[in-house]
Amino acid sequence: MEVPPEALERALTRKILRTIERGTETVIPVPLDAQQCRSARDALAKNLYHYVFYFIVGAVNSALDRHQQQTQPHAPGAAAQAMHPPRTLMLGVLDIYGFEVFESNRFEQFCINYVNEKLQQIFIDLTLKKEQAEYKKENIQWETIPFFDNKSVVDLIEGERGMFSYLDDLCATMAKEEEDVVDQKILEKFDVMYSSYTDTHNYKHQNEKIFFKNDKGFVIKHYAGDVQYTTEGFTSANKDLLSHDLLQMLAQCENAFLLEMLEPLLAAASPTATGGGPPTRVTTAGYKIKHQTGDLIRTLRRCQPHYIRTIKPNDLKSRSCFWRSACCTR
């Protein structure tokens, strides 16, 4: 990263508290414990990976970008452009992880399965609902086919009073607590809020509970089946925040490539943008997943989708082993 080693060490092992009394600012360095150091290290690594990844995606998109100008054969140039403005054609390939169910399902699986729920929802909207509405509009004889509507599960996770919202609230209000304490509090809060949460949209499970707490954590009834989650590590995984000290350290970077990539991040955290103090905007991993997924869905709704369904034939990662139950379920 081409930053002074001592600056990196300070940023990862301590935080700076600033107090103002009678107009005088006092700076107090506070050592971080081992867990806080690991969280700071992981947050730095995640953010660097994030910006490198988006740089690569942006470079690929720029290389593939083409504008197609459509003109009338005999129309003057200006008139043709007015009638047929430049149109950007896009061919997008969306490749995502399938639904994940492991022995231990943590925050990462929670997020991946949430994205799968959202994509399943748009598949239902654009394929099943839209097609049946079109048949009805055209007065085509058609026997309405009921389908699994997962709106209740999506609302449970991303709604205004959904799991992401309470997760962020607890991470913010209990920031000084040990992470395992917050993890347990998250489970307790989920149980209080969602123990009576029922499915009101799926014809197969009308008014059935879709959230359960047990001694291992909690269970969500996803469209692909029940998944057992543990809240262990939810807090640390949701906190991918860069502290003010880490941002100051990155500002000392002498690597031109890295500075160019991190410019939006450093600009938002600059004294000019924050009024001279530390950054006040808090963005968690859950917040990013929720809003980036929303952006993805809006993009997909503007496209004409085509699907390639793949089946995971076994859990052994073997190319020559097919489990009948796995193939039929998926």
Side-chain angles (χ1 to χ4, degrees), residues 62-194:
S62 296
L64 295 176
D65 189 28
R66 293 291 183 271
H67 294 277
Q68 180 176 342
Q69 180 71 41
Q70 297 180 351
T71 59
Q72 292 287 348
H74 305 292
Q81 290 186 17
M83 295 172 60
H84 301 278
R87 179 184 177 189
T88 300
L89 300 179
M90 180 186 74
L91 174 62
V93 179
L94 175 63
D95 183 15
I96 67 162
Y97 285 106
F99 207 81
E100 289 196 348
V101 184
F102 299 137
E103 286 293 327
S104 178
N105 299 289
R106 299 174 180 267
F107 182 77
E108 290 76 11
Q109 284 70 50
F110 178 75
C111 292
I112 288 171
N113 292 342
Y114 157 69
V115 175
N116 274 277
E117 289 283 3
K118 290 287 288 184
L119 292 173
Q120 175 69 10
Q121 190 177 47
I122 193 174
F123 173 75
I124 291 170
D125 288 343
L126 296 183
T127 304
L128 301 177
K129 288 183 179 179
K130 185 177 179 181
E131 286 297 321
Q132 295 196 113
E134 186 70 21
Y135 291 159
K136 185 176 181 180
K137 179 181 177 182
E138 297 292 336
N139 293 320
I140 297 174
Q141 289 189 352
W142 174 258
E143 182 178 347
T144 301
I145 299 176
F147 48 82
F148 189 107
D149 192 334
N150 65 339
K151 187 177 186 306
S152 293
V153 179
V154 172
D155 290 345
L156 167 70
I157 299 173
E158 71 165 17
E160 184 177 350
R161 297 171 62 85
M163 301 174 82
F164 274 137
S165 296
Y166 284 111
L167 176 60
D168 286 351
D169 287 345
L170 287 171
C171 286
T173 57
M174 300 183 67
K176 296 182 180 180
E177 300 287 344
E178 294 291 333
E179 290 184 349
D180 57 344
V181 174
V182 185
D183 289 341
Q184 182 59 35
K185 186 65 177 179
I186 289 170
L187 179 59
E188 294 171 1
K189 184 69 173 181
F190 284 175
D191 183 40
V192 170
M193 296 304 302
Y194 309 121

Side-chain angles (χ1 to χ4, degrees), residues 114 118 158 289-299:
Y114 157 69
K118 290 287 288 184
E158 71 165 17
I289 288 289
K290 177 180 173 179
H291 286 269
Q292 289 173 357
T293 303
D295 291 340
L296 171 63
I297 296 301
R298 283 187 286 274
T299 299

Side-chain angles (χ1 to χ4, degrees), residues 22-42:
R22 297 179 181 179
T24 302
E25 182 182 52
T26 303
V27 178
I28 306 172
V30 179
L32 302 178
D33 60 30
Q35 179 58 51
Q36 290 172 324
C37 290
R38 286 192 291 268
S39 296
R41 176 202 62 194
D42 293 347

